[in-house]
């Protein structure tokens, strides 16, 4: 069999001593965690390992001996190293040593208690203890068979090092009977600023949790469940985004400890996303209030609205004539044209009525940017929806009228074929009609058929205008979703410390010689950027309809209403 020994590269220059680690019998592997230096008392080592095993729940034991060639080899030391296998009783007993100035290492095993000792092929694998402990192994998605088995074997090694964190808390400067060498032998990595922030975060989180509970209680009160407020809360994207950010704040201010690495990364991603969102919002707010940009924006808004209304009036005048040389039904054309012109007149009056207050409204709206860029973008989307409300009304009128005629023509077409729609069984059944019913159906079918081109033209024009507004709002919400869902902390971690997000490992051959153990270097393969986004992507509040082109064309043909996005719980008409 092949014996695999995972040796930490930080212990290559350690003084002679014994190797402590975990023996994985299923894989015939030994994971070395630290080196205990001479001199030591075996009873104290056993007591120390028992305490470590009780805290970490990892079966840590003495696996063998380590001899450094820099020290002079004495006969007493070599005899003592051989006798340690009898004291600690581990099979096989691993002996690793350096050979003078040679780059090759010697590694052998002793099996004193075995009746039939077999010579094993040894593979010595170096690993970076710090990177393995701080990293989190992410098995590739959709693994099966041999790849899944290899991933489980690697997980045992990563889990052994990660759970043995208590073992790395002692360094060479500690006063104690046992001296260890591991990746933190020269002292624990720490930052005064980080420790102060940890101490200050406890009361800050308690205060933030209390404030958020009050806000959440107000949002869940019965006052907001009445019809006008509940309707606005469900339809305005600003309210939805504020509720979404409120959930994020409750998640990061919770005093509940993260159960696993995924929950910890989710909290970190939410925190970084909030920080960047607020920072971008403050930059936008500083730009708006500098050099009276809000006043210039308010002065530009009214002329733009008037220009859009004039263009719509010219479009309706063109439709009331002979658009593109088409012969329209004059009576219906005049009725629809005057109806829509009257709405435009009402819209212009509405805009001019609000013109004295627009600058003040924009001034207060600009303050909302301190809540984040996403909130400001959602307010911009709602403002676009309010400013184009007349286009939405035109689209709804045209879609309803067109949909009524399409369904009327389809029902009358079934009448000619002797069919009817069975509402109870949701299918088309045969039916016999008398002469009067067929005569009236023929008249109605003829009337609807000749009025269809006029209605269809108005519906087509207003659908294109509505789609233009929907595309603008959709782009804004895509940007909001990008800021909300992008795992920024994970991406920064992948860029700066890629070993923290491990997708697997690769082995590089360091030396290979007959009669010597094969030496390999284990390197961490980081998770790809696409895998990071896929694994740690944050959920968003809006659910964009994933309609195919065929489904979209069907909705346009039947005159069904199209929304820029669909919130959870809403149903598309």
């Amino acid at each position: 069999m092949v014996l695999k020994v995972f040796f930490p590269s930080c212990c290559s220059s350690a003084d002679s001593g014994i190797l402590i680690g975990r023996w994985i019998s299923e894989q015939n592997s030994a994971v070395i965690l630290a080196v205990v230096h001479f001199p030591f008392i075996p009873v104290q080592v056993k007591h120390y390992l028992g305490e470590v095993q009780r805290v970490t729940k990892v079966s840590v034991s003495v696996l063998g001996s380590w001899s450094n060639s820099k020290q002079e080899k004495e006969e007493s030391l070599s005899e003592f190293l051989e006798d340690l296998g009898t004291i600690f009783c581990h099979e096989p007993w691993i002996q690793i040593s350096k050979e003078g100035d040679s780059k090759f290492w010697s590694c052998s095993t002793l099996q004193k208690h075995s009746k039939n000792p077999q010579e094993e092929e040894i593979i010595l694998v170096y690993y970076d203890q710090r990177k393995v402990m701080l990293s989190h192994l992410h098995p590739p998605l959709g693994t099966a068979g041999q790849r899944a088995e290899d991933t489980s074997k690697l997980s045992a090694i990563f889990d052994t090092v990660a759970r043995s964190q208590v073992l790395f808390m002692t360094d060479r400067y500690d006063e104690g009977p046992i001296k260890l060498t591991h990746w933190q032998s020269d002292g624990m990595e720490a930052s005064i600023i980080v420790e102060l922030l940890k101490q200050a975060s406890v009361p800050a989180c308690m205060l933030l949790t209390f404030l958020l509970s009050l806000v959440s209680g107000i949002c869940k009160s019965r006052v907001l469940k009445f019809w006008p407020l509940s309707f606005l809360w469900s339809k305005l994207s600003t309210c939805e985004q504020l509720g979404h950010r409120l959930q994020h704040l409750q998640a990061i201010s919770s005093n509940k400890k993260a159960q696993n690495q995924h929950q910890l990364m989710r909290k970190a991603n939410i925190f970084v996303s909030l920080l960047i969102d607020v920072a971008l919002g403050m930059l936008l707010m500083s730009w708006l209030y500098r050099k009276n940009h809000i006043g210039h924006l308010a002065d530009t808004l009214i002329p733009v609205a008037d220009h859009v209304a004039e263009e719509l009036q010219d479009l309706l005048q063109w439709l009331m004539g002979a658009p593109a040389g088409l012969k329209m039904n004059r009576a219906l054309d005049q009725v629809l044209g005057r109806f829509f012109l009257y709405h435009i007149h009402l819209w212009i009056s509405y805009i001019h009525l609000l013109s004295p207050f627009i600058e003040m409204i924009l001034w207060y709206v600009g303050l909302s940017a301190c809540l984040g860029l996403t909130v400001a973008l959602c307010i911009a989307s709602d403002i676009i929806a309010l400013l184009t409300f007349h286009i939405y009304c035109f689209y709804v009128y045209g879609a309803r009228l067109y949909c009524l005629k399409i369904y009327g023509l389809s029902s009358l077409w079934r009448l000619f074929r002797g069919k009817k729609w069975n509402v109870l069984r949701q299918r088309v059944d045969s039916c016999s009609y008398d002469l009067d019913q067929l005569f009236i159906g023929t008249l109605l079918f003829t009337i609807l058929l000749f009025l269809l081109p006029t209605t269809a033209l108005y519906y087509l024009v207003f659908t294109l205008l509505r789609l233009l507004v929907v595309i603008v709002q959709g782009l804004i919400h895509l940007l909001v979703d990008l800021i909300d869902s992008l795992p920024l902390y994970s991406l920064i971690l992948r860029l700066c410390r890629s070993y923290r997000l491990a997708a697997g490992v690769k082995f590089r051959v360091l030396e290979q010689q007959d009669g010597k153990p094969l030496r390999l270097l284990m390197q961490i393969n980081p998770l790809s950027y696409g895998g990071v986004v896929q694994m740690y992507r944050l959920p968003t509040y809006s659910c964009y309809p994933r309609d195919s082109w065929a489904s979209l064309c069907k909705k346009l043909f039947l005159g069904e209403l199209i929304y820029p996005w669909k919130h959870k719980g809403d149903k598309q008409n």
Side-chain angles (χ1 to χ4, degrees):
M1 295 181 64
V2 178
L3 173 64
K4 297 179 287 295
V5 180
F6 291 86
F7 190 81
S9 56
C10 57
C11 297
S12 300
S13 58
D15 297 334
S16 299
I18 56 175
L19 304 173
I20 60 175
R22 177 191 176 190
W23 173 256
I24 306 176
S25 58
E26 297 83 2
Q27 305 179 21
N28 198 33
S29 304
V31 182
I32 308 300
L33 298 174
V35 175
V36 179
H37 306 153
F38 293 120
F40 58 83
I41 301 175
V43 177
Q44 293 179 342
V45 174
K46 289 183 178 181
H47 178 71
Y48 176 73
L49 293 181
E51 291 293 328
V52 172
Q53 186 172 351
R54 182 181 60 83
V55 175
T56 63
K57 307 299 181 183
V58 178
S59 56
V60 181
S61 60
V62 178
L63 302 179
S65 61
W66 158 255
S67 175
N68 195 335
S69 61
K70 293 181 180 179
Q71 297 176 345
E72 296 181 357
K73 292 186 177 181
E74 301 178 357
E75 294 183 359
S76 58
L77 179 61
S78 61
E79 293 176 359
F80 182 65
L81 291 175
E82 292 180 0
D83 293 339
L84 287 176
T86 307
I87 298 174
F88 290 101
C89 300
H90 184 272
E91 291 285 343
W93 181 259
I94 302 172
Q95 292 181 328
I96 304 176
S97 62
K98 279 187 176 181
E99 299 180 355
D101 296 332
S102 174
K103 66 177 182 179
F104 297 105
W105 290 40
S106 65
C107 183
S108 60
T109 58
L110 293 178
Q111 299 180 0
K112 293 185 177 181
H113 302 282
S114 178
K115 296 181 179 179
N116 298 318
Q118 298 178 358
E119 185 176 354
E120 294 182 322
E121 183 181 353
I122 301 175
I123 299 178
L124 193 59
V125 182
Y126 286 97
Y127 72 94
D128 192 325
Q129 199 171 57
R130 175 176 177 270
K131 290 184 178 180
V132 172
M133 194 199 74
L134 296 178
S135 65
H136 176 64
L137 185 62
H138 299 75
L141 299 175
T143 54
Q146 186 67 28
R147 294 187 65 187
E149 185 179 352
D150 295 340
T151 303
S152 63
K153 293 179 179 178
L154 289 174
S155 299
I157 299 170
F158 277 72
D159 184 65
T160 299
V161 180
R163 289 166 58 186
S164 305
Q165 188 174 3
V166 178
L167 186 66
F168 308 136
M169 294 298 178
T170 57
D171 52 45
R172 64 180 61 182
Y173 305 106
D174 291 338
E175 296 181 358
I178 298 177
K179 301 297 182 180
L180 300 174
T181 294
H182 44 74
W183 72 278
Q184 285 193 144
S185 300
D186 294 330
M188 295 178 57
E189 291 186 351
S191 173
I192 298 178
I193 298 178
V194 173
E195 294 299 325
L196 291 177
L197 288 176
K198 287 182 180 179
Q199 297 295 329
S201 63
V202 176
C205 287
M206 293 178 62
L207 179 61
L208 185 60
T209 304
F210 175 72
L211 295 177
L212 290 175
S213 62
L214 290 179
V215 176
S216 179
I218 294 174
C219 294
K220 293 180 181 179
S221 62
R222 294 184 178 181
V223 178
L224 297 178
K225 294 183 180 180
F226 290 111
W227 175 74
L229 295 178
S230 62
F231 178 80
L232 291 176
W233 185 268
S234 62
K235 296 303 178 183
L236 291 180
S237 58
T238 305
C239 299
E240 293 284 350
Q241 179 64 20
L242 288 175
H244 187 62
R245 283 307 189 192
L246 181 62
Q247 294 177 0
H248 281 177
L249 287 173
Q250 289 175 342
I252 62 176
S253 62
S254 175
N255 54 3
K256 185 178 179 181
K257 188 178 180 180
Q259 300 296 325
N260 49 41
Q261 178 73 13
H262 194 275
Q263 293 182 4
L264 182 63
M265 294 291 289
R266 182 178 180 272
K267 281 190 174 184
N269 286 323
I270 291 175
F271 181 71
V272 174
S273 177
L274 281 172
L275 283 182
I276 294 179
D277 187 20
V278 173
L280 294 175
M282 296 297 291
L283 288 176
L284 177 63
M285 187 173 66
S286 65
W287 179 82
L288 287 175
Y289 290 99
R290 187 186 304 165
K291 298 180 181 179
N292 197 23
H293 284 129
I294 290 183
H296 297 314
L297 184 62
D299 294 338
T300 308
L301 197 60
I302 299 299
V304 169
D306 290 339
H307 179 70
V308 171
E310 290 176 1
E311 292 293 333
L312 285 176
Q313 286 178 342
D314 295 339
L315 178 62
L316 289 173
Q317 292 293 341
W318 178 71
L319 290 175
M320 291 171 66
L326 299 176
K327 182 64 176 177
M328 313 293 292
N329 185 282
R330 184 167 182 79
L332 180 61
D333 193 12
Q334 293 294 322
V335 170
L336 292 178
R338 291 174 182 176
F339 177 75
F340 292 130
L341 284 174
Y342 178 70
H343 275 72
I344 293 177
H345 174 71
L346 291 178
W347 173 252
I348 294 175
S349 302
Y350 166 69
I351 289 295
H352 286 282
L353 184 65
L354 289 178
S355 57
F357 309 100
I358 285 182
E359 184 175 356
M360 182 180 63
I361 293 173
L362 291 178
W363 195 89
Y364 285 108
V365 166
L367 293 177
S368 64
C370 64
L371 299 176
L373 180 63
T374 54
V375 176
L377 290 174
C378 288
I379 292 177
S381 176
D382 291 334
I383 291 176
I384 291 175
L386 292 175
L387 293 178
T388 59
F389 184 70
H390 55 307
I391 296 178
Y392 175 73
C393 291
F394 294 165
Y395 165 71
V396 171
Y397 298 152
R400 290 306 186 193
L401 188 58
Y402 176 78
C403 181
L404 178 64
K405 291 192 176 183
I406 288 294
Y407 280 104
L409 287 172
S410 62
S411 179
L412 293 172
W413 177 249
R414 286 193 294 267
L415 183 141
F416 292 154
R417 296 162 52 213
K419 306 285 184 179
K420 76 169 184 177
W421 177 255
N422 192 330
V423 181
L424 296 178
R425 297 189 178 183
Q426 294 293 311
R427 69 182 186 184
V428 178
D429 294 334
S430 299
C431 181
S432 59
Y433 297 96
D434 55 19
L435 186 60
D436 293 339
Q437 291 175 331
L438 291 174
F439 178 72
I440 295 175
T442 304
L443 291 178
L444 292 176
F445 183 82
T446 305
I447 293 172
L448 292 178
L449 184 62
F450 282 104
L451 294 179
L452 181 63
T454 304
T455 307
L457 184 60
Y458 276 88
Y459 167 69
L460 177 62
V461 171
F462 293 136
T463 299
L464 294 177
L465 292 176
R466 176 61 182 166
L467 286 177
L468 181 61
V469 177
V470 165
I471 289 173
V472 174
Q473 288 186 282
L475 292 176
I476 292 176
H477 282 273
L478 281 177
L479 182 58
V480 171
D481 278 0
L482 181 64
I483 299 175
D484 283 342
S485 64
L486 201 62
L488 297 173
Y489 175 77
S490 300
L491 291 174
I492 294 173
L493 201 63
R494 171 63 179 83
L495 181 64
C496 300
R497 295 187 176 183
S498 58
Y499 61 86
R500 295 286 298 273
L501 305 173
V505 298
K506 60 182 178 181
F507 296 94
R508 184 167 62 90
V509 178
L510 293 180
E511 66 179 18
Q512 185 177 9
Q513 190 182 23
D514 295 337
K516 300 294 181 180
L518 176 63
R519 284 176 60 194
L520 302 177
L521 177 62
M522 187 177 74
Q523 298 175 332
I524 295 177
N525 276 334
L527 202 63
S528 64
Y529 287 99
V532 172
V533 174
Q534 184 179 2
M535 188 165 293
Y536 291 111
R537 186 176 184 272
L538 298 173
T540 55
Y541 75 91
S542 59
C543 302
Y544 289 92
R546 306 294 183 182
D547 293 334
S548 61
W549 284 104
S551 177
L552 182 61
C553 292
K554 180 183 177 182
K555 288 182 178 181
L556 291 175
F557 178 75
L558 295 178
E560 296 182 4
L561 297 183
I562 301 173
Y563 298 98
W565 69 94
K566 182 175 67 173
H567 297 294
K568 294 179 180 179
D570 292 349
K571 292 183 179 180
Q572 280 192 304
N573 296 327

